[in-house]
Amino acid sequence: MDQYKMNLILRVAKRRYELGMSQIEIAREEHLSKSTVSRLLGQARDLGMVKISIVEPKHAFVDLENAMRDAFGLDRVTILPDVVGSRDVLRKDVCTALADDLSRDVQDGEVVGVAWGHTLSVLTEVLPKHIDKKGIKIIQLNGGLSKALYDAGADHIVRAFVHCFEGEGYLLPAPALVDTAEIAASIKSDSSVARILTLAENCRTAIYSVGTIGHGTALYQMGYFSDEAYQAIEKKSVGDVCSHFVDAQGRIADPLLDARVVATPLSKIKAVPNKMVAAVGVDKAPAILAALRGGMVDKLYIDQPAAAEVMRLASGQK
């Protein structure tokens, strides 16, 4: 495309979206037909000159947000509407709401802990390009997956936050789950791992989601459990928080299993004063409720159907 055409497209786009001119007014100014102006605006979008975003009101469910905040003693609840029936769109909306709050919720000199998973990966896609904070340290809260065919994305997530805050990053170089408690203890005693776990004790902000129980979860698919062992976990647990399997009250579901987990201890995560949790999907409601009951959430970002289901479960309704 020649420079004249590029300039024309840019000029038409600026007249429409920056000056607020109608297509008829632009056509008159540029001596073009209205159909040509419409076509040029379409090309501007295709070429990336124009990016259109729809900003939905965050507080469309004030009553439900207040009810959840009061019921579980939360600092903040942000509920997003499921407008188009797409879980991917909804997950991005929920993550965007959390990302928008980071600049006011994270303070200079903080240690910020992040987990891994699909939701956190989406969150990295909507992080601001830069948040002006100084002295931020980003740590990985739980170990990753050691199977070569599956990438937990933990390193990408940590690096994205490091770039956003222009801070320092610390990866947890270990799998989330190992074969025995003795192996886990040995790994935790390694200086590089121990350093991260020590930093976690000073963590002020933790950002994560919750996991469900089921054969579609990463730990099961990667062969960390036999069918028999996983069936036993399913009977005790409703989900996981940073690789710690929890029961319906948010307590460790199986202490012997948890001893094999390489991650910031659940007791330390609970002690973090600013726990920001993003979760999407009605299927996650039991795990979300467990995290709420267990004191693992301070600020919740959730979709309306999931929020309604959490409140239904909490009230014991059938």
Side-chain angles (χ1 to χ4, degrees):
M1 184 181 297
D2 60 44
Q3 191 61 47
Y4 171 80
K5 183 66 175 295
M6 289 289 288
N7 289 344
L8 176 60
I9 294 172
L10 181 59
R11 195 163 61 244
V12 166
K14 282 182 171 289
R15 288 183 185 276
R16 179 71 184 95
Y17 296 109
E18 291 185 359
L19 300 180
M21 295 174 64
S22 69
Q23 293 189 24
I24 293 175
E25 290 172 327
I26 297 170
R28 187 182 303 120
E29 289 283 335
E30 294 288 345
H31 305 288
L32 301 169
S33 68
K34 183 175 178 293
S35 61
T36 299
V37 170
S38 178
R39 186 175 68 255
L40 291 172
L41 290 172
Q43 288 181 287
R45 290 191 293 271
D46 293 340
L47 292 169
M49 293 181 180
V50 176
K51 294 183 179 179
I52 299 174
S53 62
I54 300 172
V55 180
E56 299 171 4
K58 286 185 181 180
H59 300 289
F61 306 102
V62 175
D63 290 344
L64 183 54
E65 289 173 345
N66 290 340
M68 294 194 78
R69 189 181 67 243
D70 294 343
F72 301 105
L74 304 178
D75 296 334
R76 184 186 307 143
V77 178
T78 301
I79 299 174
L80 279 298
D82 186 4
V83 177
V84 296
S86 167
R87 186 161 181 154
D88 289 338
V89 171
L90 194 50
R91 185 182 285 111
K92 187 172 183 179
D93 289 345
V94 167
C95 287
T96 298
L98 190 156
D100 288 346
D101 285 342
L102 288 174
S103 61
R104 64 166 166 162
D105 288 338
V106 176
Q107 307 304 318
D108 290 346
E110 280 193 15
V111 175
V112 177
V114 296
W116 51 264
H118 192 179
T119 300
L120 269 291
S121 293
V122 172
L123 178 58
T124 65
E125 298 172 4
V126 297
L127 285 175
K129 290 184 178 179
H130 174 65
I131 295 178
D132 188 18
K133 303 291 178 179
K134 301 185 185 304
I136 302 297
K137 292 182 173 66
I138 308 296
I139 65 168
Q140 182 182 332
L141 289 171
N142 51 328
L145 298 174
S146 60
K147 304 294 183 178
L149 294 179
Y150 189 94
D151 180 12
D155 57 341
H156 167 74
I157 292 165
V158 171
R159 292 179 202 281
F161 275 89
V162 167
H163 179 74
C164 174
F165 285 100
E166 294 186 3
E168 299 176 11
Y170 300 87
L171 294 169
L172 186 58
L177 186 67
V178 294
D179 290 341
T180 67
E182 290 74 20
I183 294 173
S186 179
I187 291 174
K188 292 175 185 177
S189 68
D190 178 81
S191 60
S192 58
V193 174
R195 183 184 185 189
I196 310 303
L197 297 179
T198 299
L199 281 171
E201 295 180 2
N202 298 312
C203 183
R204 186 192 174 279
T205 294
I207 303 169
Y208 50 88
S209 186
V210 297
T212 58
I213 287 294
H215 290 180
T217 59
L219 288 174
Y220 176 81
Q221 289 189 338
M222 290 304 101
Y224 283 97
F225 302 97
S226 66
D227 287 340
E228 183 179 357
Y230 203 74
Q231 287 173 5
I233 295 169
E234 287 180 303
K235 292 178 181 178
K236 301 177 181 179
S237 175
V238 296
D240 79 276
V241 175
C242 298
S243 303
H244 298 284
F245 288 91
V246 296
D247 65 16
Q249 301 303 316
R251 301 168 300 206
I252 295 296
D254 186 335
L256 293 178
L257 172 63
D258 199 65
R260 296 164 48 198
V261 172
V262 181
T264 303
L266 196 61
S267 59
K268 299 295 183 182
I269 293 174
K270 290 181 180 182
V272 174
N274 181 37
K275 297 176 286 293
M276 305 177 74
V277 177
V280 172
V282 171
D283 60 315
K284 284 196 173 186
I288 296 167
L289 180 57
L292 291 167
R293 285 171 169 167
M296 290 170 275
V297 186
D298 295 303
K299 299 179 177 73
L300 179 64
Y301 301 82
I302 190 173
D303 60 288
Q304 187 275 332
E309 178 66 7
V310 168
M311 295 302 285
R312 187 191 69 78
L313 292 175
S315 68
Q317 296 177 8
K318 294 184 179 180

